[in-house]
Amino acid sequence: MGEGIGDYTKNVIDLRRHMWMAGVEVELRRLIWQIAVVGKYISAKIHEANRKLAGLKNIYGEEQLSLDRSSDEILKNQLQFSGFVREYASEEQEAIVKIGTGREKYIVTADPLDGSSLVETNLAIGTIIGIHKEAVFDTGKNTMVAALYITYGPLITMVYSAGCGTHEFVLNREGEYVLAQENIRLKENGSIFSPGGLRNEWIPEHLRFIEQLEKDGYKLRYSGGFVPDINQVLIKKGGLFTYPALRKSPQGKLRLLFELQPMAFIMEQAGGQATDGRTDILSLKVESLDQRSPIYIGSSAEVQMVKQFLK
Ligand code: AHG
Ligand code: MN
Ligand code: MN
């Protein structure tokens, strides 16, 4: 018999049991679980994409939505009936969507599918979720209560934090998210770096910082997928991911609300740090949905070091 569904005799800890043992508030843990389940539906969509790669039509012969759009639809529809979400803010929607009755506790933000252009290369991609109380146009510190991301790679893994540490789960063959690592802690220093943006677009201070990491023997690890690149730093327990300010785009590329705040929340809960170079990501105020920010995120020594270079 495989380990998984309800097989508590084997001491397998699944996501629901973990959240219950960790004392996550009941509505929040139901919401997190529902979102994790949506990850299974999105991964099924990603698998459908391999029919396209193989030159086959969609089984129903219909025009297909892009993967980003269909992932967004799946998430929105599921959250609509969750009973816990009153507003849904997504990278794929122009405005915040009111769902539910308006009396629900939470607002959910989503990058439903990050890195969709990597699908045809068979590299890993992901889903990024933030969970807020009250409002989103404020600092993450004031409003965030939880965050999670799902990595669709050779394995499907889910990392969440509800404010008591950062934990990793792996989806097993029975369709249960099983605890892989509890309370992941980053070391003070890492040995990998993951730098986004074209080198000749970097500002001199950033270039000098990266050259210092290279001199110090840091290994380059950049896939071009934000989720697996961040996940690598977390699972290797240290190192740095950055998508910096560029000459032509001083705010960088990645979005504060949908991408950066959730990852900053998760990293901080693992003992790491996240900054735009001066200010902590979670202390930046969100003013608009598509607001972007440079980011340096990972173990504390590297994040402190970049602040010196950018001063
Ligand atoms: P999205 O697919 O949601 O538009 O985001 C892609 C992002 C992110 O995954 C990655 O960190 C970054 O784009 C890579 O950008 P470059 O191609 O400039 O390296
Ligand atoms: Mn994205
Ligand atoms: Mn996206």
Side-chain angles (χ1 to χ4, degrees):
M1 180 169 128
E3 35 183 56
I5 311 171
D7 189 7
Y8 297 140
T9 53
K10 273 193 163 172
N11 225 9
V12 166
I13 297 178
D14 80 337
L15 175 61
R16 275 179 293 184
R17 195 186 195 197
H18 184 268
M19 290 192 289
W20 175 75
M21 293 191 320
V24 179
E25 185 256 324
V26 57
E27 294 194 2
L28 186 56
R29 68 179 195 248
R30 288 195 181 144
L31 174 58
I32 290 173
W33 185 75
Q34 286 177 357
I35 294 169
V37 169
V38 176
K40 300 187 209 175
Y41 305 146
I42 294 178
S43 85
K45 277 281 165 202
I46 298 167
H47 281 284
E48 244 176 55
N50 63 25
R51 294 183 60 83
K52 256 212 216 139
L53 276 183
L56 299 170
K57 285 225 173 73
N58 155 349
I59 32 176
Y60 309 107
E62 304 160 332
E63 211 22 62
Q64 288 218 53
L65 287 178
S66 71
L67 269 180
D68 312 75
R69 291 274 309 285
S70 48
S71 305
D72 183 56
E73 283 291 301
I74 296 171
L75 249 175
K76 185 166 72 73
N77 291 340
Q78 293 295 316
L79 292 178
Q80 195 131 35
F81 302 108
S82 75
F84 308 119
V85 184
R86 67 174 186 279
E87 286 177 1
Y88 173 65
S90 160
E91 212 183 78
E92 298 297 321
Q93 307 273 348
E94 272 167 26
I96 295 183
V97 183
K98 291 200 185 314
I99 56 182
T101 65
R103 285 190 300 272
E104 294 81 359
K105 248 191 206 167
Y106 299 109
I107 306 174
V108 169
T109 71
D111 182 351
L113 202 69
D114 180 84
S116 52
S117 67
L118 294 175
V119 171
E120 63 182 3
T121 69
N122 200 22
L123 280 163
I125 54 181
T127 296
I128 310 168
I129 301 288
I131 303 177
H132 300 245
K133 260 189 170 167
E134 317 305 336
V136 292
F137 296 117
D138 197 335
T139 66
K141 267 207 172 78
N142 284 343
T143 67
M144 288 194 83
V145 292
L148 67 94
Y149 67 81
I150 299 168
T151 310
Y152 311 101
L155 299 173
I156 295 174
T157 60
M158 198 278 298
V159 169
Y160 92 91
S161 176
C164 330
T166 291
H167 319 286
E168 184 197 25
F169 295 78
V170 58
L171 190 63
N172 70 8
R173 277 192 295 180
E174 285 76 19
E176 285 285 296
Y177 284 96
V178 172
L179 183 63
Q181 287 189 73
E182 192 171 31
N183 257 320
I184 300 172
R185 297 303 293 173
L186 295 189
K187 289 174 287 196
E188 180 84 14
N189 284 283
S191 55
I192 56 174
F193 72 112
S194 199
L198 282 182
R199 200 173 182 104
N200 60 18
E201 279 284 307
W202 290 348
I203 58 170
E205 295 84 351
H206 177 78
L207 181 62
R208 279 198 288 277
F209 166 64
I210 296 292
E211 284 171 348
Q212 187 61 49
L213 292 180
E214 288 165 345
K215 268 187 219 137
D216 293 345
Y218 282 73
K219 284 188 193 156
L220 175 65
R221 292 286 183 268
Y222 189 72
S223 77
F226 184 47
V227 174
D229 284 337
I230 288 283
N231 191 56
Q232 180 160 217
V233 171
L234 186 75
I235 300 303
K236 296 291 182 191
K237 313 255 169 25
L240 183 96
F241 174 94
T242 169
Y243 206 106
L246 302 176
R247 284 185 216 275
K248 283 190 206 134
S249 40
Q251 292 310 310
K253 175 179 185 186
L254 299 176
R255 288 175 173 83
L256 179 57
L257 180 63
F258 303 115
E259 297 171 313
L260 305 186
Q261 281 188 338
M263 293 309 198
F265 190 93
I266 286 168
M267 278 291 185
E268 281 194 7
Q269 284 290 323
Q273 296 182 7
T275 175
D276 69 353
R278 283 188 189 84
T279 309
D280 286 349
I281 292 296
L282 294 179
S283 298
L284 294 172
K285 189 169 179 204
V286 177
E287 313 268 3
S288 71
L289 290 179
D290 68 348
Q291 186 174 335
R292 293 158 202 262
S293 164
I295 185 167
Y296 297 85
I297 179 169
S299 34
S300 50
E302 290 85 345
V303 174
Q304 289 309 318
M305 179 175 156
V306 74
K307 286 187 178 167
Q308 295 305 315
F309 276 82
L310 294 186
K311 227 173 23 198

